[in-house]
PDB file of all heavy atoms in Angstrom:
ATOM      1  N   ASP R  37      13.241  10.027  19.056  1.00  0.00           N
ATOM      2  CA  ASP R  37      13.047   9.049  17.981  1.00  0.00           C
ATOM      3  C   ASP R  37      13.918   7.808  18.164  1.00  0.00           C
ATOM      4  O   ASP R  37      13.474   6.699  17.957  1.00  0.00           O
ATOM      5  CB  ASP R  37      13.342   9.687  16.619  1.00  0.00           C
ATOM      6  CG  ASP R  37      12.261  10.680  16.216  1.00  0.00           C
ATOM      7  OD1 ASP R  37      11.127  10.542  16.704  1.00  0.00           O
ATOM      8  OD2 ASP R  37      12.558  11.592  15.424  1.00  0.00           O
ATOM      9  N   ASP R  39      16.359   6.502  16.341  1.00  0.00           N
ATOM     10  CA  ASP R  39      16.311   5.708  15.113  1.00  0.00           C
ATOM     11  C   ASP R  39      17.301   4.553  15.084  1.00  0.00           C
ATOM     12  O   ASP R  39      17.056   3.549  14.421  1.00  0.00           O
ATOM     13  CB  ASP R  39      16.588   6.601  13.886  1.00  0.00           C
ATOM     14  CG  ASP R  39      15.450   7.584  13.615  1.00  0.00           C
ATOM     15  OD1 ASP R  39      14.476   7.601  14.396  1.00  0.00           O
ATOM     16  OD2 ASP R  39      15.546   8.325  12.620  1.00  0.00           O
ATOM     17  N   SER R  45      24.548   6.290  17.136  1.00  0.00           N
ATOM     18  CA  SER R  45      24.979   6.562  15.765  1.00  0.00           C
ATOM     19  C   SER R  45      23.941   7.260  14.899  1.00  0.00           C
ATOM     20  O   SER R  45      24.091   7.276  13.686  1.00  0.00           O
ATOM     21  CB  SER R  45      25.472   5.280  15.099  1.00  0.00           C
ATOM     22  OG  SER R  45      24.558   4.250  15.252  1.00  0.00           O
ATOM     23  N   THR R  48      19.270  11.015  17.109  1.00  0.00           N
ATOM     24  CA  THR R  48      17.858  11.392  17.206  1.00  0.00           C
ATOM     25  C   THR R  48      17.253  11.158  18.599  1.00  0.00           C
ATOM     26  O   THR R  48      16.049  11.030  18.744  1.00  0.00           O
ATOM     27  CB  THR R  48      16.992  10.664  16.155  1.00  0.00           C
ATOM     28  OG1 THR R  48      17.023   9.262  16.406  1.00  0.00           O
ATOM     29  CG2 THR R  48      17.496  10.929  14.754  1.00  0.00           C
ATOM     30  N   ASP R  73      27.970  16.925  17.466  1.00  0.00           N
ATOM     31  CA  ASP R  73      28.595  18.054  16.807  1.00  0.00           C
ATOM     32  C   ASP R  73      27.959  18.339  15.448  1.00  0.00           C
ATOM     33  O   ASP R  73      28.033  19.451  14.932  1.00  0.00           O
ATOM     34  CB  ASP R  73      30.087  17.750  16.653  1.00  0.00           C
ATOM     35  CG  ASP R  73      30.886  19.026  16.485  1.00  0.00           C
ATOM     36  OD1 ASP R  73      30.490  20.035  17.088  1.00  0.00           O
ATOM     37  OD2 ASP R  73      31.879  19.005  15.748  1.00  0.00           O
ATOM     38  N   LEU R  74      27.327  17.310  14.859  1.00  0.00           N
ATOM     39  CA  LEU R  74      26.704  17.510  13.552  1.00  0.00           C
ATOM     40  C   LEU R  74      25.281  18.047  13.680  1.00  0.00           C
ATOM     41  O   LEU R  74      24.596  18.251  12.685  1.00  0.00           O
ATOM     42  CB  LEU R  74      26.695  16.187  12.773  1.00  0.00           C
ATOM     43  CG  LEU R  74      28.077  15.720  12.291  1.00  0.00           C
ATOM     44  CD1 LEU R  74      28.002  14.316  11.712  1.00  0.00           C
ATOM     45  CD2 LEU R  74      28.636  16.676  11.244  1.00  0.00           C
ATOM     46  N   GLU R  77      21.431  22.257  16.357  1.00  0.00           N
ATOM     47  CA  GLU R  77      20.854  22.787  17.599  1.00  0.00           C
ATOM     48  C   GLU R  77      21.731  22.497  18.808  1.00  0.00           C
ATOM     49  O   GLU R  77      21.358  22.782  19.942  1.00  0.00           O
ATOM     50  CB  GLU R  77      19.500  22.130  17.859  1.00  0.00           C
ATOM     51  CG  GLU R  77      18.361  22.734  17.113  1.00  0.00           C
ATOM     52  CD  GLU R  77      17.054  22.379  17.805  1.00  0.00           C
ATOM     53  OE1 GLU R  77      16.678  21.198  17.745  1.00  0.00           O
ATOM     54  OE2 GLU R  77      16.448  23.272  18.410  1.00  0.00           O
ATOM     55  N   GLU R 103      12.875  20.962  20.098  1.00  0.00           N
ATOM     56  CA  GLU R 103      11.625  21.028  19.336  1.00  0.00           C
ATOM     57  C   GLU R 103      11.583  19.919  18.283  1.00  0.00           C
ATOM     58  O   GLU R 103      10.549  19.324  18.017  1.00  0.00           O
ATOM     59  CB  GLU R 103      11.485  22.401  18.662  1.00  0.00           C
ATOM     60  CG  GLU R 103      10.143  22.578  17.967  1.00  0.00           C
ATOM     61  CD  GLU R 103       9.931  23.977  17.408  1.00  0.00           C
ATOM     62  OE1 GLU R 103      10.881  24.782  17.450  1.00  0.00           O
ATOM     63  OE2 GLU R 103       8.805  24.247  16.930  1.00  0.00           O
ATOM     64  N   PHE R 104      12.750  19.654  17.695  1.00  0.00           N
ATOM     65  CA  PHE R 104      12.833  18.633  16.648  1.00  0.00           C
ATOM     66  C   PHE R 104      14.062  17.759  16.881  1.00  0.00           C
ATOM     67  O   PHE R 104      15.081  18.240  17.357  1.00  0.00           O
ATOM     68  CB  PHE R 104      13.039  19.270  15.269  1.00  0.00           C
ATOM     69  CG  PHE R 104      12.031  20.303  14.896  1.00  0.00           C
ATOM     70  CD1 PHE R 104      12.332  21.649  15.007  1.00  0.00           C
ATOM     71  CD2 PHE R 104      10.778  19.932  14.420  1.00  0.00           C
ATOM     72  CE1 PHE R 104      11.402  22.615  14.645  1.00  0.00           C
ATOM     73  CE2 PHE R 104       9.850  20.890  14.059  1.00  0.00           C
ATOM     74  CZ  PHE R 104      10.162  22.247  14.173  1.00  0.00           C
ATOM     75  N   GLN R 105      13.969  16.505  16.490  1.00  0.00           N
ATOM     76  CA  GLN R 105      15.183  15.703  16.358  1.00  0.00           C
ATOM     77  C   GLN R 105      15.681  15.894  14.930  1.00  0.00           C
ATOM     78  O   GLN R 105      14.897  16.139  14.022  1.00  0.00           O
ATOM     79  CB  GLN R 105      14.897  14.234  16.652  1.00  0.00           C
ATOM     80  CG  GLN R 105      14.465  13.964  18.094  1.00  0.00           C
ATOM     81  CD  GLN R 105      15.566  14.193  19.126  1.00  0.00           C
ATOM     82  OE1 GLN R 105      16.741  14.310  18.791  1.00  0.00           O
ATOM     83  NE2 GLN R 105      15.187  14.266  20.395  1.00  0.00           N
ATOM     84  N   PHE R 106      16.973  15.811  14.722  1.00  0.00           N
ATOM     85  CA  PHE R 106      17.530  16.124  13.399  1.00  0.00           C
ATOM     86  C   PHE R 106      17.993  14.867  12.684  1.00  0.00           C
ATOM     87  O   PHE R 106      18.624  14.039  13.272  1.00  0.00           O
ATOM     88  CB  PHE R 106      18.704  17.099  13.557  1.00  0.00           C
ATOM     89  CG  PHE R 106      19.279  17.562  12.256  1.00  0.00           C
ATOM     90  CD1 PHE R 106      18.472  18.172  11.295  1.00  0.00           C
ATOM     91  CD2 PHE R 106      20.616  17.394  11.974  1.00  0.00           C
ATOM     92  CE1 PHE R 106      19.003  18.610  10.099  1.00  0.00           C
ATOM     93  CE2 PHE R 106      21.155  17.843  10.771  1.00  0.00           C
ATOM     94  CZ  PHE R 106      20.349  18.449   9.844  1.00  0.00           C
TER      95      PHE R 106
ATOM     96  N   LYS K 115      28.602  20.648   8.313  1.00  0.00           N
ATOM     97  CA  LYS K 115      28.013  21.576   9.277  1.00  0.00           C
ATOM     98  C   LYS K 115      27.601  22.884   8.602  1.00  0.00           C
ATOM     99  O   LYS K 115      26.638  23.512   9.003  1.00  0.00           O
ATOM    100  CB  LYS K 115      28.989  21.850  10.417  1.00  0.00           C
ATOM    101  CG  LYS K 115      28.903  20.802  11.514  1.00  0.00           C
ATOM    102  CD  LYS K 115      29.705  21.213  12.717  1.00  0.00           C
ATOM    103  CE  LYS K 115      31.059  20.543  12.712  1.00  0.00           C
ATOM    104  NZ  LYS K 115      31.917  20.956  13.834  1.00  0.00           N
ATOM    105  N   GLN K 118      24.187  21.985   6.498  1.00  0.00           N
ATOM    106  CA  GLN K 118      23.056  21.207   6.993  1.00  0.00           C
ATOM    107  C   GLN K 118      21.916  22.046   7.561  1.00  0.00           C
ATOM    108  O   GLN K 118      20.782  21.578   7.632  1.00  0.00           O
ATOM    109  CB  GLN K 118      23.513  20.178   8.009  1.00  0.00           C
ATOM    110  CG  GLN K 118      24.019  20.778   9.294  1.00  0.00           C
ATOM    111  CD  GLN K 118      24.611  19.701  10.190  1.00  0.00           C
ATOM    112  OE1 GLN K 118      24.666  18.535   9.811  1.00  0.00           O
ATOM    113  NE2 GLN K 118      25.034  20.089  11.359  1.00  0.00           N
ATOM    114  N   GLN K 124      14.051  23.155  11.757  1.00  0.00           N
ATOM    115  CA  GLN K 124      13.579  24.535  11.967  1.00  0.00           C
ATOM    116  C   GLN K 124      13.319  25.217  10.631  1.00  0.00           C
ATOM    117  O   GLN K 124      12.303  25.909  10.454  1.00  0.00           O
ATOM    118  CB  GLN K 124      14.629  25.353  12.738  1.00  0.00           C
ATOM    119  CG  GLN K 124      14.875  24.899  14.153  1.00  0.00           C
ATOM    120  CD  GLN K 124      15.886  23.752  14.218  1.00  0.00           C
ATOM    121  OE1 GLN K 124      16.101  23.021  13.252  1.00  0.00           O
ATOM    122  NE2 GLN K 124      16.500  23.591  15.376  1.00  0.00           N
ATOM    123  N   LYS K 127      10.286  23.698   8.727  1.00  0.00           N
ATOM    124  CA  LYS K 127       8.979  24.142   9.211  1.00  0.00           C
ATOM    125  C   LYS K 127       8.530  25.366   8.402  1.00  0.00           C
ATOM    126  O   LYS K 127       7.366  25.480   8.036  1.00  0.00           O
ATOM    127  CB  LYS K 127       9.100  24.488  10.698  1.00  0.00           C
ATOM    128  CG  LYS K 127       7.786  24.480  11.432  1.00  0.00           C
ATOM    129  CD  LYS K 127       8.038  24.481  12.933  1.00  0.00           C
ATOM    130  CE  LYS K 127       7.451  25.711  13.574  1.00  0.00           C
ATOM    131  NZ  LYS K 127       7.659  25.763  15.023  1.00  0.00           N
ATOM    132  N   ARG K 355      11.093   3.277  12.641  1.00  0.00           N
ATOM    133  CA  ARG K 355      12.180   4.163  12.210  1.00  0.00           C
ATOM    134  C   ARG K 355      13.542   3.467  12.198  1.00  0.00           C
ATOM    135  O   ARG K 355      14.521   4.031  11.720  1.00  0.00           O
ATOM    136  CB  ARG K 355      12.232   5.409  13.103  1.00  0.00           C
ATOM    137  CG  ARG K 355      10.941   6.237  13.071  1.00  0.00           C
ATOM    138  CD  ARG K 355      11.087   7.529  13.871  1.00  0.00           C
ATOM    139  NE  ARG K 355      12.173   8.339  13.365  1.00  0.00           N
ATOM    140  CZ  ARG K 355      12.049   9.204  12.348  1.00  0.00           C
ATOM    141  NH1 ARG K 355      10.893   9.387  11.781  1.00  0.00           N
ATOM    142  NH2 ARG K 355      13.077   9.883  11.929  1.00  0.00           N
ATOM    143  N   GLN K 356      13.607   2.262  12.771  1.00  0.00           N
ATOM    144  CA  GLN K 356      14.904   1.587  12.846  1.00  0.00           C
ATOM    145  C   GLN K 356      15.218   0.814  11.572  1.00  0.00           C
ATOM    146  O   GLN K 356      15.178  -0.401  11.527  1.00  0.00           O
ATOM    147  CB  GLN K 356      14.971   0.676  14.068  1.00  0.00           C
ATOM    148  CG  GLN K 356      15.250   1.471  15.334  1.00  0.00           C
ATOM    149  CD  GLN K 356      15.337   0.594  16.564  1.00  0.00           C
ATOM    150  OE1 GLN K 356      15.912  -0.478  16.536  1.00  0.00           O
ATOM    151  NE2 GLN K 356      14.746   1.056  17.653  1.00  0.00           N
ATOM    152  N   THR K 362      23.796   5.342   8.795  1.00  0.00           N
ATOM    153  CA  THR K 362      23.844   5.704  10.209  1.00  0.00           C
ATOM    154  C   THR K 362      25.250   6.192  10.514  1.00  0.00           C
ATOM    155  O   THR K 362      26.137   6.074   9.678  1.00  0.00           O
ATOM    156  CB  THR K 362      23.404   4.505  11.093  1.00  0.00           C
ATOM    157  OG1 THR K 362      23.203   4.952  12.426  1.00  0.00           O
ATOM    158  CG2 THR K 362      24.427   3.388  11.077  1.00  0.00           C
ATOM    159  N   GLY K 363      25.438   6.785  11.692  1.00  0.00           N
ATOM    160  CA  GLY K 363      26.750   7.341  12.014  1.00  0.00           C
ATOM    161  C   GLY K 363      26.912   8.734  11.422  1.00  0.00           C
ATOM    162  O   GLY K 363      25.936   9.379  11.043  1.00  0.00           O
ATOM    163  N   ARG K 366      25.132   9.730   8.195  1.00  0.00           N
ATOM    164  CA  ARG K 366      23.691   9.526   8.097  1.00  0.00           C
ATOM    165  C   ARG K 366      23.060  10.650   7.273  1.00  0.00           C
ATOM    166  O   ARG K 366      23.401  11.813   7.407  1.00  0.00           O
ATOM    167  CB  ARG K 366      23.095   9.517   9.507  1.00  0.00           C
ATOM    168  CG  ARG K 366      21.638   9.184   9.567  1.00  0.00           C
ATOM    169  CD  ARG K 366      21.261   8.923  11.025  1.00  0.00           C
ATOM    170  NE  ARG K 366      19.888   8.432  11.101  1.00  0.00           N
ATOM    171  CZ  ARG K 366      18.855   9.237  11.269  1.00  0.00           C
ATOM    172  NH1 ARG K 366      19.027  10.538  11.387  1.00  0.00           N
ATOM    173  NH2 ARG K 366      17.634   8.741  11.317  1.00  0.00           N
ATOM    174  N   ARG K 371      15.044  14.418   7.177  1.00  0.00           N
ATOM    175  CA  ARG K 371      13.791  15.057   7.636  1.00  0.00           C
ATOM    176  C   ARG K 371      13.043  15.710   6.484  1.00  0.00           C
ATOM    177  O   ARG K 371      11.819  15.775   6.477  1.00  0.00           O
ATOM    178  CB  ARG K 371      14.087  16.090   8.717  1.00  0.00           C
ATOM    179  CG  ARG K 371      14.754  15.519   9.946  1.00  0.00           C
ATOM    180  CD  ARG K 371      13.792  14.685  10.765  1.00  0.00           C
ATOM    181  NE  ARG K 371      14.524  13.861  11.733  1.00  0.00           N
ATOM    182  CZ  ARG K 371      13.944  13.111  12.656  1.00  0.00           C
ATOM    183  NH1 ARG K 371      12.639  13.058  12.754  1.00  0.00           N
ATOM    184  NH2 ARG K 371      14.660  12.374  13.468  1.00  0.00           N
TER     185      ARG K 371
END
Side-chain angles (χ1 to χ4, degrees):
Chain R
D37 289 336
D39 291 2
S45 50
T48 64
D73 202 34
L74 289 172
E77 278 201 290
E103 186 174 7
F104 306 101
Q105 295 292 346
F106 184 56
Chain K
K115 275 189 262 177
Q118 68 187 2
Q124 294 84 337
K127 201 166 119 180
R355 300 185 58 85
Q356 281 181 41
T362 191
R366 186 168 187 268
R371 300 288 165 174

